[in-house]
Amino acid sequence: MFLTITTTGTAENPATDLGFLLHKHPDRVRVENQSHGTAHVFYPEATAERCTAALLLEVDPVALVRRGQGKGRGGAPDAALAQYVNDRPYAASSLLAVALSGVFRTALKGQCVLRPELPEQARPLRIEIPVLPARGGAELVHRLFGPLGWDLVQAEAVPLDEQFPEWGDSRYVRLVLEGELRLADALRQLYVLLPVLDDSKHYWIAPDEVDKLLRAGDGWLAAHPENGLISSRYLARHKRLTQDAIERLELVRLAEADGSEVEEIDNAVDETRDTEERPVPLAVQRREAILAALRSAGAARVLDLGCGQGQLVQALFKDVSFTEIVGMDVSVRALNIAAKRLRLERMGERQSARVTLLQGSLAYTDKRLAGYDAAVLSEVIEHLDLERLPALEYAVFGSARPRTVLVTTPNVEYNVRWETLPAGHVRHGDHRFEWTREEFRAWAGQVAQRHGYGVAYVPIGDDDPEVGPPTQMAVFTQTDTTDTTDTPKEGEAA
Ligand code: SAH
C-alpha cells in the first residue's frame, strides 16, 4: 500500500517544510511497527522547490488473519482461503487509513510545536494513491472528493489485467488529488474516505467510532452532501451508530450555520490512536462520574447550569430516576442545539414535562432555580472571568441553594500530560483560567464554609500519581439548611 504527498515551494516558503508538518525529517527513513504491519515513511525528493513524502505500508496478511481469529472473529469457513488470498496487502484500504493516523498523528490534528503557524496555512498539495479500492468506482470518488476544495480529482480505473484489456476494469482506481489545502484537512479527509471507498472496514466498530468520525470530519463532513453515505460506510453500515452520527452532524451543521463552535467532546487533545484500544473519552467519563454522584446523593430534581448543547441533560433524561431536569445556559444558540438533540418538539407531553431548557445567566440570582435537589456545573466556572465568580457563587450557593452541588473544572497540572498541548496553553480557547488542585480546593473550601456546605473531591479520568486527574470535581453537600451567609447581593462582586 502506497501513498505519496507532494508539495511545491520557493526559497522563502520551502517545500521541505512538509517535513515539519509531518513531523518526519526529509533526510531520514522512518520505520514504525503498526498493529497490522510495518509503515515506512521516506522522501523520494526533498528540495525547496518540490518535496514528496511517501508512506508505504507492508501488511502481514497471515498476522492479520491470526489477529482476527484470536479474537474470535474469523471469517465463515468457506471464506477460509479468501482470508489469506486477498488484496489487503496491496491495495490502499482502511488499513492505510489507520497507518496514516498512526504515523502522521500530530499532522492530522493540525499541530506543529516547532512551527505552529505552518498547519494553519494552505499549501499546494498533490496526493497520489496508485491502487485504491473504490466500491462505487470513479464516479463515487468524484462525489466524495469533489466538494472538498480540490482543483483536480482524478480517478482512473485500473484495468484488471493490462495484457487482457477485454477483461475490463478492476474495482481499483489510481487516485490523484491536487489543490491548495491545509495538510491536516487533506489527511483527515483521507482518514475517513479511504475506508469509505474500501467499504470493508477491517476492525470492530465500537460506539466511540462515531466520536472519531466527527473529530476527523471536523470542518468538512457536516456540510458534505454525501455525509449520510460516508457515515454509513465508515461505520460499517451499523444502523444505530449511523443514525447517531447523522443526527450529530446535523447539530454541527446547524451550529456552523449559526457561526458558533460546537464543543463536540470538549477537547481535541483527547485522541485515541490504535483502533484496537478504546479509551473512554474524558467527556464521557465526566458525565458518568456526575451521574454516579447524583444517584448516590439521591437527587431526583436536577439543574444543569451552563448545560451547553445538552449532552448531560440528555443523559439525565434517559434515567427515569431523574424526574425533573432543568438545563440552563446563557447561550441561546447552545440551547437551540440542545432542544434539537433532545427532540423536544417530538416528545409526548408526559416526557416533555420532565425537561425544561432555560436561558439565563449564572452571574445573577434567579428565582426559577430555587428548590432543586442538586445542581451541576460541568466545565462552566472556567468560562467566567474570575471577577464574576463571587456573583456565580451567590447565585448558586446563596440563592438557589440545592442540597447537592457538583462542580467540575480542568486540573491545569494535568496539561503537561496532553502530549500535543503546547506548554502553557489552556485546553479550550474560551477558558478564562484553569486551576491546580490546590487552587480549586482553596476556592471550593471557602465557598462551602461561607454557605453551610461540606465538600469532597472526586478525581475524573486517569488519576496520575504526580499531576492528578485531568478533571477535578467538587461535591458540595448542604449541612446548614438555613443560609445565614452575608454574601453580596445580585451580581455584586465580593
Ligand atoms: N456543561 C457543558 C458545557 C460546558 S461549556 C459540558 O460539560 O459539556 C460552558 C458553558 O457555560 C457554555 O455553554 C456557556 O454558554 C455557558 N456559560 C458561560 N457563562 C455562563 C453564564 N454566565 N451563565 C450561564 N451559562 C454560562
Side-chain angles (χ1 to χ4, degrees), residues 356-482:
T356 313
L357 296 177
L358 297 177
Q359 201 251 334
S361 170
L362 286 164
Y364 302 96
T365 55
D366 189 332
K367 289 203 179 64
R368 296 173 299 178
L369 305 184
Y372 284 83
D373 298 337
V376 179
L377 290 100
S378 164
E379 307 296 281
V380 172
I381 58 171
E382 66 276 9
H383 289 266
L384 275 81
D385 289 323
L386 276 172
E387 310 82 81
R388 305 301 293 163
L389 273 193
L392 172 142
E393 174 189 334
Y394 183 64
V396 176
F397 295 89
S399 168
R401 288 191 70 69
R403 216 165 8 91
T404 303
V405 181
L406 308 181
V407 178
T408 79
T409 195
N411 163 23
V412 71
E413 296 166 78
Y414 193 88
N415 287 6
V416 295
R417 293 285 184 269
W418 298 124
E419 221 176 272
T420 50
L421 193 68
H425 277 57
V426 292
R427 296 181 205 174
H428 188 273
D430 190 46
H431 287 180
R432 307 300 159 88
F433 62 88
E434 284 179 353
W435 276 337
T436 62
R437 285 166 292 174
E438 199 184 316
E439 287 167 323
F440 181 49
R441 286 170 189 218
W443 173 79
Q446 284 184 14
V447 168
Q449 203 180 22
R450 279 197 286 264
H451 299 277
Y453 282 77
V455 60
Y457 303 95
V458 179
I460 298 176
D462 145 52
D463 193 359
D464 186 283
E466 246 173 84
V467 298
T471 300
Q472 39 187 348
M473 175 159 77
V475 180
F476 297 84
T477 310
Q478 210 175 75
T479 49
D480 178 356
T481 44
T482 58

Side-chain angles (χ1 to χ4, degrees), residues 91-236:
S93 66
S94 56
L95 296 179
L96 185 62
V98 174
L100 201 71
S101 75
V103 175
F104 300 138
R105 187 167 178 233
T106 317
L108 216 77
K109 290 186 198 160
Q111 289 164 343
C112 179
V113 179
L114 294 175
R115 302 274 303 277
E117 76 291 354
L118 278 185
E120 286 309 310
Q121 298 160 5
R123 55 178 318 139
L125 293 177
R126 180 176 199 278
I127 290 180
E128 181 171 348
I129 301 176
V131 185
L132 172 71
R135 239 171 273 263
E139 189 258 337
L140 182 61
V141 174
H142 284 281
R143 260 161 56 209
L144 294 179
F145 286 100
L148 294 176
W150 297 96
D151 299 330
L152 172 84
V153 177
Q154 203 178 52
E156 248 173 58
V158 175
L160 208 50
D161 191 323
E162 274 163 17
Q163 312 264 317
F164 302 94
E166 65 276 16
W167 288 3
D169 291 334
S170 67
R171 67 180 185 92
Y172 302 95
V173 299
R174 171 173 158 270
L175 174 72
V176 178
L177 301 169
E178 277 178 21
E180 197 142 319
L181 270 80
R182 291 187 302 193
L183 181 66
D185 292 338
L187 292 177
R188 286 187 293 109
Q189 293 172 11
L190 291 172
Y191 175 72
V192 173
L193 296 179
L194 294 185
V196 164
L197 284 163
D198 184 23
D199 199 20
S200 59
K201 221 174 166 186
H202 66 281
Y203 49 82
W204 187 247
I205 299 288
D208 85 326
E209 206 68 42
V210 179
D211 295 336
K212 252 187 224 172
L213 174 64
L214 267 86
R215 273 200 296 262
D218 184 34
W220 64 273
L221 184 54
H224 196 295
E226 296 293 349
N227 68 21
L229 175 136
I230 294 170
S231 304
S232 165
R233 282 195 179 191
Y234 183 88
L235 297 163

Side-chain angles (χ1 to χ4, degrees), residues 263 266 286-287 290 304-309 311-312 328-331 334 360-363 377-380 382-384 392 408 430:
E263 259 197 65
D266 165 280
R286 202 153 44 220
R287 264 194 308 275
I290 290 168
D304 181 8
L305 304 176
C307 64
Q309 297 167 358
Q311 291 91 335
L312 178 65
M328 185 185 98
D329 205 282
V330 75
S331 157
S361 170
L362 286 164
L377 290 100
S378 164
E379 307 296 281
V380 172
E382 66 276 9
H383 289 266
L384 275 81
L392 172 142
T408 79
D430 190 46

Side-chain angles (χ1 to χ4, degrees), residues 43-92:
Y43 290 77
E45 55 185 335
T47 65
E49 291 74 42
R50 204 178 144 89
C51 182
T52 298
L55 167 64
L56 172 79
L57 180 66
E58 272 183 293
V59 169
D60 177 351
V62 176
L64 203 61
V65 174
R66 293 219 177 104
R67 275 172 71 90
Q69 285 180 339
K71 297 211 166 118
R73 4 177 199 109
D78 60 352
L81 192 59
Q83 288 184 339
Y84 290 91
V85 184
N86 57 37
D87 65 1
R88 293 278 119 188
Y90 318 108

